[in-house]
Amino acid sequence: MRHLVAHPCSLAALVVGFLAAAPRPLLAQNLVTNPHFDTDLSGWNPVGIGTAFDGTKDANNSLSSGSVHAIQPIAIPNGANLNGVRQCVTGLTAGATYDFGGQILVNSAPAGGSASTELAFYSDNACTTPVGVTTAGASVFAGATFQPSNGSAVAPPGAVAAQIFQNERTAATPGTIDINEDEMFLQLSASQVPTVPRWTLGVLAGAVAAGGVLALRRRQRSGSLAG
């Protein structure tokens, strides 16, 4: 039987190439359930009479997915309301930095009205006892396309969970704000995702190459003995 042995340099190059090509975002897991609102609002707690699944609007123009639609009347200037959907995410670590956000489409709003994705931390897994301050992503104003509303926050001492939600605000003019939101996420900040140091790649490549050389020599020896 003929034995095929890969060249040790080829093995080393393969390993290094694989590790170098491995995308770091795969390590940053989105902790949100049903973040894309594919078919419904499962995993989310709808708030407000006008909050519902909308299968006609998707941030990526997908025909098989949708978004959440919320309508919020705000009767006072510079007012705010939290109608939309919210989700309590558990398993967070105090002191860690988390990235969060979503894509918001503001269909209509009074002059200066806006919406944003927001994050609040809690000291219990039911998200009933808040700790620290609420952090807001970038404000999105009325327009024809979905726009990102993202932010970053450090989990305060005692935090074990967080709630991600939307907030609608009026400016000087009160009125009704009509929005859609999609592509929600909450994940460990990219700056804290473990990476493989470059020197370890060299060590690993050297080990693979050395192992390949030893295997090749053993094959050669067994072939000479058999002859």
Side-chain angles (χ1 to χ4, degrees), residues 2-175:
R2 183 182 178 186
H3 297 280
L4 297 177
V5 180
H7 194 280
C9 292
S10 300
L11 291 173
L14 180 63
V15 172
V16 173
F18 173 77
L19 291 175
R24 187 170 65 178
L26 289 177
L27 299 176
Q29 178 187 2
N30 187 357
L31 303 175
V32 171
T33 299
N34 188 23
H36 313 299
F37 304 102
D38 288 330
T39 58
D40 54 28
L41 302 184
S42 59
W44 295 91
N45 177 27
V47 179
I49 298 175
T51 301
F53 171 74
D54 184 352
T56 67
K57 294 181 179 180
D58 180 81
N60 297 314
N61 297 316
S62 172
L63 298 179
S64 59
S65 183
S67 60
V68 58
H69 179 223
I71 300 175
Q72 179 55 51
I74 302 177
I76 59 173
N78 301 309
N81 206 304
L82 307 181
N83 275 12
V85 291
R86 57 186 65 191
Q87 185 175 137
C88 182
V89 180
T90 61
L92 274 57
T93 302
T97 301
Y98 291 89
D99 296 330
F100 70 93
Q103 295 282 329
I104 296 179
L105 169 64
V106 178
N107 301 296
S108 62
S114 64
S116 62
T117 310
E118 302 199 0
L119 188 72
F121 291 100
Y122 293 82
S123 61
D124 64 300
N125 287 326
C127 290
T128 59
T129 307
V131 289
V133 298
T134 298
T135 303
S139 295
V140 177
F141 299 88
T145 60
F146 281 88
Q147 298 295 323
S149 175
N150 304 336
S152 182
V154 178
V160 297
Q163 190 163 238
I164 185 170
F165 56 94
Q166 303 84 38
N167 192 357
E168 301 88 19
R169 299 184 184 85
T170 57
T173 304

